[in-house]
């Protein structure tokens, strides 16, 4: 195990400030303050014309280039969100991509639709199923990190849980799972975030330079593992075969492996860090529930699920409408964008017995 776990690298403070991260892209939201408005809108109709942020009086923020300038619809009920998520033919993931000359799917499976989505997803999915999560991931990395970090907190008799714990577990786990060394975790994340950042403070030059660092690092790692496989995700992906319907199975190309690795880094790193903080905050501000989980570890899974329902760190996702369609009372034209409100759906009284909860402030 390397030093990154316990080192007081100033990059941690720079990269793991939730409020600053959200404010940087004009995206800091006080969940409790907007929730009454969410309930009012949802009670009026499951789907509204317009952007969710606009409907809630929040500053404009474009998450995806492909969504710019299109008509948006916001989906607020659990039932309507589920219907859209399940109909990939009408509501496409294509909205998540970036336009580039080579038409490369730089966002990987996140921007693919079936059957391509399923075929590519299958090449990596075995590593993310429960037996591997509780086996390979835990024994290889997670148990060790958690024990080390807790020992450090216990020794100091204090803890700043965001920086001392939540920030460190996911980035270290994911970076080392891919096959990079733990010491590279922070610098790699820093480069990755700056290569994709939409912050006003990041120049195009920064993005290109950092994008090159990310690609060179990953392509170098893939070449090294091709020569000498090890027990990591890159070596696993080098062995798997892509099985597209109607085509012969074939190995993934280096760029396809790189895209999988980048997506896993970004999808797993930030979300897990923030969601861990949200759930710990919820438990620490509800001592009865904290004690119940501590006394009965079987409740842990439900506590994590409830944290995700209560305040999901990724509260809305986009889909592109592929054909003119009627959806919950709206005639929606092809080319429009649906904003699927996981946050609003997760507090929908038609789905949840006690949808509202306690008070908190979170950024999203
Ligand atoms: C609590 C933490 C997490 C949250 C809240 C979260 C949330 C989400 C959501 C809502 C989506 C769906 C996006 C869409 O359909 O448009 C998604 C997709 C995805 N997430 Fe996560 N995620 C978390 C952790 C992770 C981790 C740890 C990894 C990997 C190490 C990961 C990898 C992915 C990938 C690869 C996709 C694309 C899946 C697909 O298109 O089939 N996520 N995540």
């Amino acid at each position: 195990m390397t030093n990154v776990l316990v080192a007081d690298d100033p990059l941690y403070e720079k990269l793991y400030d939730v409020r600053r991260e959200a404010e940087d892209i004009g995206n800091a939201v006080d969940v409790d303050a907007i929730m009454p408005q969410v309930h009012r809108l949802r009670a009026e109709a499951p789907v509204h014309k317009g952007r969710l942020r606009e409907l809630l009086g929040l500053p404009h923020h474009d998450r995806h280039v492909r969504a710019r300038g299109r008509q948006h619809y916001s989906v607020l009920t659990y039932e309507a969100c589920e219907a859209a998520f399940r109909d990939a033919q009408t509501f496409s993931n294509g909205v998540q991509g970036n336009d580039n000359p080579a038409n490369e799917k730089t966002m990987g499976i996140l921007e693919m639709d079936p059957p391509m989505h399923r075929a590519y997803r299958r090449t990596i999915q075995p590593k993310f199923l429960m037996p591997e999560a509780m086996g390979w991931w835990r024994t290889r990395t997670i148990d060790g990190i958690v024990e080390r970090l807790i020992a450090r907190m216990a020794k100091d008799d204090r803890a700043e849980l965001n920086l001392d714990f939540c920030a460190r577990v996911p980035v270290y786990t994911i970076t080392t799972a891919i096959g990079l060394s733990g010491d590279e975790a922070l610098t790699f994340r820093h480069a990755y975030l700056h290569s994709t950042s939409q912050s006003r403070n990041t120049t195009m030059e920064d993005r290109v330079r950092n994008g090159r660092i990310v690609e060179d690092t990953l392509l170098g790692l893939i070449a090294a593992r091709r020569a000498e496989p090890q027990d990591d995700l890159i070596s696993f992906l080098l062995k798997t075969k892509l099985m597209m319907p109607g085509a012969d199975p074939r190995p993934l190309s280096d760029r396809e492996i790189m895209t999988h690795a980048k997506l896993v880094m970004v999808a797993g790193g930030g979300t897990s860090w923030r969601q861990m903080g949200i759930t710990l905050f919820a438990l620490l501000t509800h001592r009865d529930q904290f004690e119940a989980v501590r006394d009965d570890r079987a409740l842990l899974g439900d506590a994590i699920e409830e944290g995700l329902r209560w305040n999901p760190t990724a509260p809305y996702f986009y889909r592109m409408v592929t054909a003119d369609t009627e959806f919950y009372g709206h005639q929606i034209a092809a080319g429009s964008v649906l904003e699927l409100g996981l946050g609003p759906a997760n507090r929908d009284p038609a789905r949840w017995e006690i949808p509202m909860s306690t008070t908190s402030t979170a950024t999203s």
Side-chain angles (χ1 to χ4, degrees):
M1 204 159 295
T2 56
N3 279 337
V4 74
L5 254 188
V6 291
D8 286 315
D9 190 322
L11 261 186
Y12 272 116
E13 273 191 61
K14 193 167 150 58
L15 294 180
Y16 291 95
D17 182 329
V18 186
R19 184 162 289 280
R20 194 166 59 206
E21 183 182 86
E23 280 170 356
D24 207 25
I25 50 169
N27 204 18
V29 174
D30 182 337
V31 173
D32 286 329
I34 58 164
M35 221 16 108
Q37 230 175 322
V38 169
H39 285 302
R40 187 179 50 71
L41 286 168
R42 194 198 304 100
E44 280 169 18
V47 178
H48 287 253
K49 196 169 183 174
R51 290 166 180 267
L52 187 54
R53 299 175 62 87
E54 214 168 68
L55 294 166
L56 296 173
L58 300 169
H60 182 88
H61 169 65
D62 264 324
R63 187 187 299 174
H64 302 298
V65 222
R66 287 187 185 158
R68 277 185 201 149
R70 297 176 183 274
Q71 178 62 57
H72 283 227
Y73 291 83
S74 298
V75 184
L76 302 176
T77 63
Y78 189 95
E79 187 193 280
C81 280
E82 190 174 30
F85 272 124
R86 287 189 185 283
D87 182 357
Q89 215 178 340
T90 318
F91 304 114
S92 161
N93 277 323
V95 69
Q96 317 221 38
N98 296 303
D99 293 315
N100 64 72
N103 200 23
E104 191 180 18
K105 299 232 179 288
T106 50
M107 299 296 291
I109 56 175
L110 211 52
E111 69 168 293
M112 294 175 188
D113 289 319
M116 190 189 226
H117 179 273
R118 190 161 298 131
Y120 275 86
R121 195 180 214 266
R122 279 205 181 128
T123 59
I124 193 166
Q125 193 165 24
K127 272 286 176 214
F128 288 91
L129 298 177
M130 216 28 133
E132 284 290 276
M134 299 310 278
W136 189 76
W137 290 85
R138 279 194 61 172
T139 50
R140 187 178 182 279
T141 313
I142 300 172
D143 286 353
I145 297 175
V146 168
E147 272 160 31
R148 283 277 294 271
L149 291 175
I150 288 178
R152 184 172 101 133
M153 290 190 279
K155 186 161 66 58
D156 291 350
D157 208 24
R158 64 166 292 283
E160 202 283 85
L161 287 174
N162 177 47
L163 286 180
D164 293 347
F165 191 74
C166 303
R168 289 167 199 252
V169 178
V171 70
Y172 186 84
T173 303
I174 285 165
T175 317
T176 55
I178 280 173
L180 293 169
S181 86
D183 287 327
E184 289 168 288
L186 278 192
T187 38
F188 187 82
R189 183 164 173 82
H190 184 262
Y192 185 84
L193 292 180
H194 282 80
S195 71
T196 56
S197 170
Q198 294 177 46
S199 161
R200 291 174 290 267
N201 305 323
T202 312
T203 63
M204 182 52 84
E205 218 170 60
D206 280 340
R207 276 186 211 112
V208 171
R209 190 171 41 80
N210 283 293
R212 206 163 292 139
I213 296 175
V214 169
E215 294 213 4
D216 289 350
T217 309
L218 288 175
L219 290 172
L221 179 67
I222 294 165
R225 292 303 184 265
R226 203 180 272 292
E228 206 176 316
Q230 291 190 17
D231 182 22
D232 56 35
L233 274 180
I234 297 288
S235 307
F236 176 83
L237 288 169
L238 280 163
K239 277 188 305 202
T240 61
K241 291 264 187 340
L242 176 72
M243 289 188 277
M244 286 286 279
D248 288 338
R250 65 157 176 88
L252 293 169
S253 70
D254 284 9
R255 290 198 73 80
E256 287 167 340
I257 293 176
M258 179 182 73
T259 303
H260 258 333
K262 279 206 265 183
L263 177 58
V264 163
M265 296 278 303
V266 71
T271 46
S272 308
W273 151 54
R274 290 188 300 263
Q275 198 68 43
M276 218 188 284
I278 289 168
T279 304
L280 278 175
F281 175 82
L283 286 172
L284 290 167
T285 49
H286 297 82
R287 297 302 290 195
D288 53 329
Q289 294 180 41
F290 175 83
E291 271 152 33
V293 173
R294 196 183 49 191
D295 294 346
D296 179 1
R297 307 295 283 171
L299 295 176
L300 199 54
D302 283 351
I304 293 168
E305 290 289 323
E306 179 61 356
L308 278 160
R309 181 198 70 80
W310 176 59
N311 257 345
T313 179
Y316 63 103
F317 272 88
Y318 291 11
R319 290 293 186 266
M320 180 87 79
V321 181
T322 57
D324 293 353
T325 190
E326 201 274 328
F327 190 65
Y328 285 85
H330 293 268
Q331 289 301 327
I332 301 187
S336 305
V337 168
L338 283 197
E339 294 188 16
L340 303 177
L342 299 177
N346 279 347
R347 305 249 190 137
D348 180 355
R351 170 63 180 81
W352 308 100
E353 212 176 302
I354 314 172
M356 285 313 287
S357 71
T358 56
T359 53
S360 95
T361 303
T363 53
S364 49

